[in-house]
Amino acid sequence: MNKKLNVFIGIVIVLFSAFMYLLTGDMPKESALFPRGLIILFAILGILLSITSLKDKKDSSKDIKTIFASTKEALIGLGIITAYAVAINFVGFFIATTVFIVAFMIVYKQKSIRKIMITAVVLNLFIYLVFVYQLNVPLPKGFLFN
Amino acid sequence: MNMDILFDVVQHLFTLEAIVGLVVGVIGGMVVGSLPGLSATMAVALLIPLTFGMSPIAGLVMLTGLYTSAVYGGSISAILLHTPGTPSSAATALDGYELTKQGRGLEAIGISTISSMIGGVLSALALLFLAPPLSLISLKFSAPEYFLIAVFGLTIIASLASDSTIKGLLSGVFGLLIGMIGTDILTGFPRFTFGFSQLESGISLVPAMIGLFSLSQVMSQLEKIKETKKNKIEKIQGKVLPSWNDFKKICPTVLISSVIGLFVGMLPGAGGDIGSWVGYNEAKRLSKNPEKFGKGCIEGVAAPEAANNAVTGGALIPLFVLGIPGSAVTAVLLGGLMIQGLVPGRELFTVHATTTYSVIIGLIFANILMGIIGLLAAKHIVKVTNISSLILIPIIVVFSLVGSYAINNSMFDVYVMIIFGVIGYMMKKTGFHPAPVVLAIILGPLAEGGLRRSMVMAKGNLALYLIQRPICIILMIMIIMSVLSPIIIKYKKKRKKEAVA
């Protein structure tokens, strides 16, 4: 892994631990005991991570740029997925799912319209049969339609 | 187990629902396992919401069948494509792909199928005969013992982490902290809930797992989605069924590896990936021709495959007996058990005996069915890997979403899943393993509850109290050993290096 990255992570962990510790201020002593112990352990390990990474002689590290080279792609995908989840609240599950499948395939350049349609239809059908019909899970209908 | 129960089991197992569940689990597992990028953990996590509406036996038989079959399925692409379909097949890829290069790919598949089947059946039999008597121990378990065994499970996770011990420990502690979120049972005070009422009973386990394993994997796949595919599988020629001679050759290897896998599975936290490597290394060490390993010898395929399937039965033992997961997949399976209202412990073998024994015997059948289908269909199943990720990814995403929603009919859980997906992705990018997080989320509350109740029982002096309980002493020794062993191993390696230099 990358030295600088490890050191950075260690520091983030310590800061995060400090934040969590402050959150335990409100708790009754008994409830706070275990979390505080864990938080302190977390912080110590974070410090150890930073220190051992600093001392690490064999810098077999990958360039940070290489590690995160394609993260942009992943985050774009994540954005589409999150938009899909939010959309369910508005237009309901099945419409949102169909839009998602179509949008996804377009963004990632799936050329065959036939494949897009088959996937959308089969998937929606399968989920309807299994979850709504068989398992009686009420999938969201969306604000716009209620 | 007496004849009455056997009769009940047969009745319950041979219902249409259970048989369908079994077949779906086995075939589905093989398909999912053979797809690089989809792991057994992911598949089980995704299917748990489906088992909601199924009868306990059918649902659990499907999940356990899926588990063992996916572990086997990973070997198909490991052997033919040099890409392990699941982490448990990483060792199989070594000799397996060499055999493929020599035109003996189908032979290797045959070996893998038979080895996986035998490993799986043996471990399921072990589960059948060892778990019930071992479950009596759970009667002797009280708060102190649960605390210590949870700690033991946590130390194992940490010491087996990949990159660095510190990172493994950090993953574990992170999981422990996540487990703290929610209302403190003993005082009723909400911890770390930030005012969200949905967090008062803690982070929903199944959505978090789906996020950590499925969604994070989707994100990793998205990185490569624009790359063009090589390695299209065409028709493969050859015979799958091993010759009698080959079978005799691998028998000792398979038996030893199965025992290894069984024990690795029983260790809380150690799963198929560890089992397969230990099996491989031991087979190499004990072999008369260790230099053949890595160049295409059938023992190199038989050993890891027998071991990784033997882990499945072994990992179910601590799960059924104590509720302590023996591997990441069994951690997810625990969610499946709880959904059906089954609580691990002695009750599984008394009150719910029919269900439990049906599931175990179902697992035996699943392994056999897996072997048969594997021999018949492996060369066709591998064609599944031709399916483009463009189609697979949306399918997985939709399932992840529905599955996370269905547990509590809650969109909040869907957001939990997404957040954990990001967490899992970032963890993998920076060298942390997501698996310890899940195990810690489960073991953490167990440890804390056990500790606090023990403190009440001990009325002050905890250490003195623990020393008076024999099981506790044994557990404490095991904890110390598991913490010290990686350090000792490292030390020995250093000494060896210095001696050679």
Side-chain angles (χ1 to χ4, degrees):
Chain A
M1 274 293 105
N2 186 293
K3 254 173 67 166
K4 279 192 259 179
L5 193 58
N6 284 340
V7 176
F8 177 68
I9 294 175
I11 298 178
V12 168
I13 289 177
V14 174
L15 291 173
F16 182 69
S17 306
F19 170 66
M20 296 268 286
Y21 199 87
L22 286 173
L23 286 178
T24 67
D26 281 334
M27 300 180 192
K29 234 178 71 171
E30 204 195 330
S31 297
L33 182 67
F34 219 70
R36 282 189 178 167
L38 287 178
I39 292 172
I40 296 177
L41 181 61
F42 202 48
I44 295 178
L45 286 170
I47 297 176
L48 275 175
L49 179 66
S50 295
I51 296 182
T52 51
S53 304
L54 280 172
K55 281 165 65 178
D56 196 10
K57 296 238 171 85
K58 50 179 173 80
D59 201 11
S60 59
S61 53
K62 291 187 191 160
D63 202 13
I64 291 196
K65 277 208 186 123
T66 330
I67 299 179
F68 291 103
S70 317
T71 302
K72 199 180 76 159
E73 295 292 346
L75 289 176
I76 294 178
L78 180 73
I80 302 180
I81 295 171
T82 314
Y84 166 37
V86 172
I88 294 183
N89 290 310
F90 292 106
V91 292
F93 178 80
F94 292 102
I95 298 185
T97 302
T98 312
V99 171
F100 166 70
I101 294 177
V102 172
F104 186 88
M105 304 248 194
I106 292 181
V107 168
Y108 289 102
K109 302 202 175 37
Q110 163 67 271
K111 301 280 164 104
S112 158
I113 299 192
R114 199 173 61 110
K115 281 192 186 163
I116 299 180
M117 279 180 48
I118 295 182
T119 312
V121 169
V122 172
L123 199 53
N124 274 319
L125 200 61
F126 184 80
I127 299 221
Y128 180 78
L129 286 176
V130 174
F131 282 93
V132 179
Y133 181 68
Q134 176 73 1
L135 300 179
N136 289 319
V137 176
L139 291 173
K141 294 224 171 69
F143 292 141
L144 293 185
F145 296 114
N146 269 344
Chain B
M1 202 180 81
N2 55 34
M3 289 318 288
D4 284 340
I5 301 189
L6 190 59
F7 193 62
D8 270 338
V9 164
V10 168
Q11 264 195 313
H12 281 93
L13 204 50
F14 287 95
T15 62
L16 185 64
E17 202 192 0
I19 296 184
V20 167
L22 184 71
V23 174
V24 166
V26 170
I27 298 186
M30 234 183 272
V31 168
V32 169
S34 68
L35 284 165
L38 301 185
S39 66
T41 322
M42 214 174 118
V44 175
L46 282 180
L47 279 192
I48 285 187
L50 232 95
T51 62
F52 243 168
M54 299 169 79
S55 80
I57 295 181
L60 289 171
V61 159
M62 181 175 82
L63 290 178
T64 51
L66 183 76
Y67 179 19
T68 193
S69 193
V71 166
Y72 156 64
S75 68
I76 301 182
S77 46
I79 292 173
L80 296 174
L81 296 175
H82 202 204
T83 317
T86 66
S88 325
S89 310
T92 318
L94 290 177
D95 280 85
Y97 190 60
E98 286 299 316
L99 285 165
T100 304
K101 286 203 287 194
Q102 297 167 20
R104 296 167 62 193
L106 274 190
E107 236 186 273
I109 299 256
I111 302 274
S112 160
T113 312
I114 302 263
S115 311
S116 298
M117 179 174 83
I118 298 181
V121 170
L122 286 178
S123 75
L125 285 170
L127 176 64
L128 184 65
F129 291 114
L130 289 181
L134 281 178
S135 71
L136 288 170
I137 298 185
S138 80
L139 290 174
K140 299 233 171 82
F141 264 57
S142 176
E145 284 79 16
Y146 276 110
F147 163 61
L148 286 176
I149 207 168
V151 172
F152 177 61
L154 292 167
T155 57
I156 300 259
I157 303 166
S159 63
L160 293 168
S162 51
D163 214 1
S164 79
T165 324
I166 297 187
K167 284 190 174 174
L169 286 169
L170 276 167
S171 298
V173 176
F174 179 65
L176 289 173
L177 286 169
I178 304 269
M180 298 281 107
I181 300 180
T183 309
D184 177 11
I185 296 188
L186 295 181
T187 60
F189 194 88
R191 299 192 290 193
F192 303 119
T193 57
F194 299 100
F196 286 108
S197 65
Q198 298 99 327
L199 284 180
E200 269 163 28
S201 41
I203 297 256
S204 304
L205 189 63
V206 175
M209 289 196 287
I210 295 181
L212 271 179
F213 293 112
S214 288
L215 197 64
S216 66
Q217 191 59 34
V218 162
M219 288 177 73
S220 305
Q221 298 276 71
L222 281 170
E223 288 182 340
K224 301 182 266 184
I225 201 170
K226 300 228 163 130
E227 286 170 25
T228 46
K229 261 205 158 192
K230 322 167 194 178
N231 282 339
K232 275 230 162 212
I233 289 284
E234 304 298 340
K235 271 191 96 171
I236 314 179
Q237 307 289 4
K239 249 190 65 161
V240 180
L241 197 64
S243 68
W244 183 242
N245 274 331
D246 277 345
F247 182 69
K248 280 199 292 185
K249 246 172 96 177
I250 59 169
C251 254
T253 314
V254 167
L255 287 172
I256 298 178
S257 306
S258 298
V259 175
I260 293 178
L262 184 67
F263 278 105
V264 171
M266 288 203 280
L267 286 178
D273 42 354
I274 312 246
S276 64
W277 279 114
V278 178
Y280 184 80
N281 285 326
E282 280 309 297
K284 188 169 169 184
R285 206 170 61 90
L286 296 169
S287 155
K288 297 189 195 112
N289 313 313
E291 69 288 346
K292 278 201 190 160
F293 276 71
K295 301 210 185 79
C297 80
I298 53 177
E299 288 91 344
V301 169
E305 282 305 308
N308 66 19
N309 276 82
V311 164
T312 63
L316 288 171
I317 296 181
L319 182 71
F320 283 171
V321 169
L322 292 170
I324 310 260
S327 68
V329 183
T330 32
V332 178
L333 272 171
L334 182 61
L337 274 179
M338 302 204 294
I339 285 186
Q340 298 287 356
L342 295 169
V343 178
R346 182 64 191 157
E347 270 195 8
L348 276 186
F349 298 94
T350 50
V351 175
H352 300 290
T354 315
T355 309
T356 312
Y357 285 119
S358 302
V359 173
I360 300 179
I361 296 191
L363 183 61
I364 299 179
F365 279 122
N367 278 298
I368 299 178
L369 187 65
M370 168 186 91
I372 299 176
I373 296 186
L375 287 175
L376 292 174
K379 44 180 171 176
H380 300 294
I381 293 197
V382 77
K383 294 200 195 125
V384 172
T385 51
N386 280 343
I387 299 183
S388 132
S389 339
L390 245 62
I391 301 188
L392 279 179
I393 291 185
I395 296 179
I396 298 175
V397 170
V398 172
F399 268 109
S400 304
L401 222 111
V402 181
S404 306
Y405 175 81
I407 304 279
N408 287 317
N409 287 346
S410 149
M411 280 306 288
F412 185 82
D413 283 347
V414 173
Y415 301 132
V416 167
M417 182 220 22
I418 294 181
I419 294 179
F420 272 87
V422 179
I423 294 178
Y425 173 70
M426 291 312 250
M427 283 178 74
K428 287 197 275 197
K429 283 260 109 167
T430 49
F432 292 86
H433 241 303
V437 177
V438 171
L439 288 157
I441 296 182
I442 295 179
L443 294 178
L446 212 67
E448 185 192 12
L451 178 64
R452 287 164 73 176
R453 273 184 229 118
S454 306
M455 286 183 12
V456 170
M457 286 161 78
K459 302 198 240 288
N461 202 331
L462 186 64
L464 207 63
Y465 183 64
L466 290 180
I467 296 186
Q468 289 171 358
R469 302 172 70 97
I471 305 185
C472 288
I473 300 182
I474 301 178
L475 288 171
M476 287 194 278
I477 297 177
M478 282 164 65
I479 293 176
I480 297 179
M481 286 207 309
S482 102
V483 169
L484 288 180
S485 66
I487 307 181
I488 299 182
I489 295 178
K490 260 194 191 167
Y491 185 62
K492 274 196 180 164
K493 274 192 184 165
K494 248 178 129 183
R495 287 269 295 268
K496 266 196 189 163
K497 272 196 188 161
E498 285 163 17
V500 169

